[in-house]
Amino acid sequence: MGRLFLITLEGNFYSCKHCHVHLALSDDIISKSFHCRHGKAYLFDKVVNVTLGDKEERMMITGMHTVVDIFCVGCGSIMGWKYEAAHDKSQKYKEGKFILERFQVLGPDGSNYMVSPEAQVSGSDPDDA
């Protein structure tokens, strides 16, 4: 295995809860009103230190989307996904954006988000969808 090059973020950032690799800046949050099967999820404009999985079609609350799972480069844990394409015109704003599952990341203050027992079992989308 080659040398791992990581991007270090400055300011308030979210990091992997398993290995503490930096993932995204607080300033890059677009929305905190998304959900995944484990609870809260945040929509980010950009993230760093992730690798992309294979494209797949995924049915979500707001319709069909083409997505790729994103994985931490430090430990390989799944962090969320990237929206590659939205099939519904009203969902096009998500294209190229990233979802970080809140239970997988540490907040800017180092806080961990605990999975709630009533977390959704289905895919993600905003609360207000």
Side-chain angles (χ1 to χ4, degrees), residues 10 18 30 47 62 65 94 123 127:
E10 293 185 21
H18 305 285
I30 296 169
V47 299
T62 56
H65 294 79
K94 296 176 186 173
D127 286 344

Short mmCIF file of all heavy atoms in Angstrom, two decimals, residues 10 18 30 47 62 65 94 123 127:
data_model
loop_
_atom_site.label_atom_id
_atom_site.label_comp_id
_atom_site.label_asym_id
_atom_site.label_seq_id
_atom_site.Cartn_x
_atom_site.Cartn_y
_atom_site.Cartn_z
N GLU A 10 -8.95 23.46 8.20
CA GLU A 10 -8.81 24.43 9.29
C GLU A 10 -10.17 25.03 9.59
O GLU A 10 -11.00 25.18 8.71
CB GLU A 10 -7.83 25.52 8.89
CG GLU A 10 -6.40 25.00 8.76
CD GLU A 10 -5.40 26.09 8.48
OE1 GLU A 10 -5.71 27.27 8.78
OE2 GLU A 10 -4.33 25.78 7.97
N HIS A 18 -14.31 7.12 13.55
CA HIS A 18 -13.46 5.95 13.77
C HIS A 18 -11.97 6.28 13.79
O HIS A 18 -11.23 5.78 14.63
CB HIS A 18 -13.74 4.89 12.70
CG HIS A 18 -15.18 4.51 12.61
ND1 HIS A 18 -15.81 3.70 13.53
CD2 HIS A 18 -16.13 4.85 11.70
CE1 HIS A 18 -17.07 3.55 13.19
NE2 HIS A 18 -17.30 4.23 12.09
N ILE A 30 -25.10 22.47 3.47
CA ILE A 30 -26.22 23.05 2.74
C ILE A 30 -27.50 22.87 3.55
O ILE A 30 -28.34 23.76 3.62
CB ILE A 30 -26.36 22.40 1.35
CG1 ILE A 30 -25.13 22.71 0.52
CG2 ILE A 30 -27.64 22.85 0.65
CD1 ILE A 30 -25.04 21.92 -0.76
N VAL A 47 -16.78 17.55 0.25
CA VAL A 47 -16.11 16.77 1.30
C VAL A 47 -14.73 16.39 0.80
O VAL A 47 -14.46 16.45 -0.40
CB VAL A 47 -16.91 15.50 1.72
CG1 VAL A 47 -18.28 15.86 2.26
CG2 VAL A 47 -17.03 14.53 0.57
N THR A 62 -37.78 11.11 -1.96
CA THR A 62 -38.08 12.11 -2.99
C THR A 62 -37.88 11.59 -4.41
O THR A 62 -37.82 12.37 -5.35
CB THR A 62 -37.22 13.37 -2.79
OG1 THR A 62 -35.85 13.00 -2.79
CG2 THR A 62 -37.58 14.07 -1.50
N HIS A 65 -32.67 8.33 -7.50
CA HIS A 65 -31.42 9.07 -7.64
C HIS A 65 -30.31 8.10 -8.04
O HIS A 65 -30.33 6.94 -7.65
CB HIS A 65 -31.02 9.73 -6.31
CG HIS A 65 -31.94 10.81 -5.87
ND1 HIS A 65 -33.14 10.55 -5.26
CD2 HIS A 65 -31.84 12.15 -5.94
CE1 HIS A 65 -33.74 11.69 -4.97
NE2 HIS A 65 -32.97 12.68 -5.38
N LYS A 94 -29.40 18.58 -5.72
CA LYS A 94 -28.58 17.62 -4.97
C LYS A 94 -27.40 17.08 -5.80
O LYS A 94 -26.44 16.56 -5.22
CB LYS A 94 -29.43 16.42 -4.54
CG LYS A 94 -30.53 16.76 -3.57
CD LYS A 94 -31.34 15.51 -3.29
CE LYS A 94 -32.54 15.78 -2.45
NZ LYS A 94 -33.40 14.58 -2.34
N GLY A 123 -34.27 4.87 2.94
CA GLY A 123 -33.22 5.76 2.47
C GLY A 123 -33.37 7.16 3.02
O GLY A 123 -34.14 7.42 3.92
N ASP A 127 -36.32 16.16 5.83
CA ASP A 127 -37.49 16.05 6.70
C ASP A 127 -38.71 16.64 6.00
O ASP A 127 -39.80 16.12 6.11
CB ASP A 127 -37.30 16.87 7.99
CG ASP A 127 -36.32 16.21 8.94
OD1 ASP A 127 -36.03 15.01 8.78
OD2 ASP A 127 -35.87 16.91 9.86
#
